[in-house]
Amino acid sequence: MAVARLSDDSDWVPTRALRRAVTMTTVLLVVAALTSRWDLIVLAAPFAIGAAVSLRNRPRQLPDAVVGTSAPYLSEGGQAEVRVSVANPDHAPYDLAVIRTELSPWLRVANGDRPFLTPVPAFGVVDLDLVGTAERWGRLPVGPLEVHAVACDAMLQSRPIVAEPLLLRVFPKTEPFKADDAMPRAAGLVGAHRSRRYGDGGELAGIRQFSPGDRLRRIDWRTSLRTRELHVAHTLSDRDAEVVLVLDVLHEAEATTRPRRNGEPGTRASVLDTTVRAAAGIAQHYLSCGDRVSMLEYGARTRWLRPGSGRRHHLAALEWLLDVHPGGTEYDPLEGMFSRHLRSSNALFVVLTPLLEVRSAGLLARLARAGRSVVAVDTLPAMLRPASSSEWGDVGYRIWRLERENTIGQLLEHGVPVVPWAGAGSLDQVLRDMSQLAAAPRAAGLR
């Protein structure tokens, strides 16, 4: 907000109208004095008297300007309502206030690229409502806002007042996602997931004979009366889980699916957008189940969101995702990322990666060698093709695709499944296979 203060010589400057009035008065008076034509003084009088009357009630303070909103949190595709307020703290009215503001290219506002004009009364406030659509996630700026006022019958103009920009926090659109199958491993003793281990839960695993330590309420009386021996219902335990979302943002690649029209940005399908939206959907699903979710940014900045659960942590995760930026680095981001003291050994690692370079495959291989449960989600858009005019462009693209498929096959041999992101049910089959593998008995080594 621009703070009002007493004006000085540079706050209010004369306009062209005042210059013309002063020039005409001076010229007519000089000609009248040189030619002794006193009738020219009568012609100069309206200019002088009009300017004097207009400047009699000149403003002493600059206008105030502020940008605000009642809904700082939005979702992609939501309606943004921004209010620009221009206040006149002076006793003199403003004939006109010219408002110019810069808008994010991903914020669609009707006539947002044009200046807005409005008169402002003395000691009054004029509100201008800008309504648009947020077309992409992120921190979309509205501003900086520039306002200058015209007063004294357009004789004076204030210097521009610049207000700080407003950042609209637009959360990523949550991709539909659900994972109905069991988690490969459990970190706690209670939770919402059906595990593959026996224990107290609601999922029936079978009937077995009573043994010391079994609870009496587990006795199956129908089977016990039929067999003349006590039998109990055997159930699978319900356990919670910790999910670590690793966002591979070493590189950004995008494909424009709709061309630009009238200066508007086209519809994009990019690695960053797919990664952030998929992370938001996965985090929302597991947090709604009561699990703990943490996030890691694998790129130039090694950012980490601590594990947490609940609605407050969900909002913190969405805030954290707004600051994800792509960018590579020469050093290996793996150094110090996976400390044993900060990561649970039973956590499920979901790595969102486009697999565009060898370091991404090395990250997955290192997690697999450490004995972690790892799932790789392919975030590369299917329609992405390199922009090349060379006759060897298609050949190089096919070779690169074959090398990428070979890398995916090698990761699968190391126990790292790679699945493309497809919304709901993307990870069900993979989690089912990993759960069965985790519950399978290990074969004893031969001596």
Side-chain angles (χ1 to χ4, degrees):
M1 183 174 180
V3 180
R5 59 180 178 84
L6 295 179
S7 62
D8 53 26
D9 294 338
S10 62
D11 285 342
W12 292 88
V13 296
T15 61
R16 293 182 180 179
L18 179 58
R19 294 193 186 97
R20 286 194 297 265
V22 172
T23 301
M24 289 295 298
T25 302
T26 303
V27 170
L28 290 175
L29 292 178
V30 170
V31 173
L34 294 177
T35 61
S36 298
R37 294 186 57 183
W38 308 115
D39 57 328
L40 296 179
I41 298 178
V42 178
L43 296 178
F47 295 101
I49 295 174
V53 171
S54 298
L55 294 176
R56 181 185 58 182
N57 190 23
R58 69 176 294 177
R60 298 294 181 180
Q61 294 181 344
L62 293 173
D64 296 342
V66 65
V67 186
T69 179
S70 59
Y73 300 97
L74 299 173
S75 297
E76 282 184 291
Q79 188 177 25
E81 297 180 358
V82 178
R83 172 163 292 184
V84 177
S85 300
V86 179
N88 180 5
D90 204 282
H91 67 282
Y94 297 152
D95 301 329
L96 203 65
V98 183
I99 306 170
R100 295 185 178 90
T101 181
E102 297 183 6
L103 298 174
S104 169
W106 296 105
L107 189 62
R108 299 288 97 210
V109 177
N111 301 322
D113 56 341
R114 301 179 182 179
F116 298 93
L117 309 178
T118 179
V120 184
F123 302 108
V125 179
V126 175
D127 296 329
L128 176 64
D129 293 329
L130 304 179
V131 180
T133 303
E135 297 185 345
R136 187 173 183 264
W137 62 272
R139 302 184 188 273
L140 305 185
V142 179
L145 180 72
E146 181 180 295
V147 179
H148 64 269
V150 178
C152 299
D153 296 328
M155 294 292 181
L156 294 178
Q157 176 181 337
S158 71
R159 65 176 178 84
I161 297 298
V162 179
E164 293 295 328
L166 171 70
L167 293 180
L168 292 177
R169 286 169 284 188
V170 182
F171 293 149
K173 178 177 59 179
T174 303
E175 295 279 347
F177 173 76
K178 61 180 180 180
D180 297 330
D181 208 81
M183 296 291 293
R185 297 177 183 176
L189 297 178
V190 294
H193 293 284
R194 186 187 74 246
S195 71
R196 300 286 178 176
R197 301 179 182 275
Y198 298 127
D200 291 335
E203 187 71 18
L204 183 63
I207 305 296
R208 62 173 176 81
Q209 289 188 352
F210 180 87
S211 60
D214 290 335
R215 297 185 179 182
L216 296 179
R217 62 185 180 89
R218 293 289 185 180
I219 296 177
D220 188 295
W221 294 105
R222 179 177 298 181
T223 306
S224 300
L225 292 174
R226 187 178 65 251
T227 60
R228 302 293 180 175
E229 293 182 359
L230 286 179
H231 283 74
V232 294
H234 202 192
T235 58
L236 297 175
S237 63
D238 296 331
R239 300 194 174 189
D240 64 350
E242 179 178 338
V243 181
V244 181
L245 300 178
V246 182
L247 284 68
D248 180 7
V249 290
L250 286 174
H251 299 282
E252 168 67 319
E254 65 179 84
T256 303
T257 59
R258 177 173 61 83
R260 295 175 180 265
R261 297 177 182 177
N262 301 327
E264 297 183 1
T267 303
R268 304 194 319 165
S270 70
V271 170
L272 182 62
D273 289 345
T274 304
T275 300
V276 172
R277 291 166 183 162
I282 296 174
Q284 181 184 18
H285 169 77
Y286 284 111
L287 287 173
S288 64
C289 295
D291 297 321
R292 299 182 303 279
V293 175
S294 61
M295 294 184 180
L296 281 168
E297 181 178 341
Y298 181 70
R301 304 178 304 166
T302 308
R303 297 173 57 237
W304 172 56
L305 177 68
R306 61 174 181 81
S309 59
R311 178 173 177 79
R312 179 177 296 181
H313 190 70
H314 182 212
L315 294 177
L318 293 177
E319 286 272 2
W320 188 89
L321 287 173
L322 295 182
D323 297 324
V324 174
H325 295 289
T329 176
E330 297 181 356
Y331 68 90
D332 188 5
L334 282 175
E335 297 298 332
M337 278 188 63
F338 303 105
S339 171
R340 186 176 298 274
H341 301 287
L342 297 178
R343 307 289 180 266
S344 172
S345 60
N346 292 321
L348 170 64
F349 282 78
V350 180
V351 183
L352 304 166
T353 174
L355 289 175
L356 291 178
E357 71 162 271
V358 67
R359 283 186 293 179
S360 301
L363 165 67
L364 296 169
R366 180 170 178 177
L367 288 173
R369 287 196 301 266
R372 307 298 178 92
S373 299
V374 188
V375 177
V377 178
D378 188 0
T379 58
L380 189 69
M383 73 289 294
L384 183 66
R385 293 183 64 88
S388 176
S389 58
S390 173
E391 58 181 352
W392 297 101
D394 292 339
V395 177
Y397 173 74
R398 289 198 296 268
I399 293 176
W400 175 78
R401 276 288 183 182
L402 290 175
E403 292 179 350
R404 190 171 182 272
E405 292 176 1
N406 184 39
T407 301
I408 293 176
Q410 292 177 352
L411 290 173
L412 186 59
E413 292 178 357
H414 286 79
V416 180
V418 180
V419 294
W421 175 251
S426 299
L427 307 181
D428 265 354
Q429 183 61 42
V430 175
L431 293 179
R432 185 181 302 113
D433 296 341
M434 295 177 65
S435 299
Q436 294 175 355
L437 182 62
R442 299 179 180 273
L446 297 178
R447 294 185 179 180

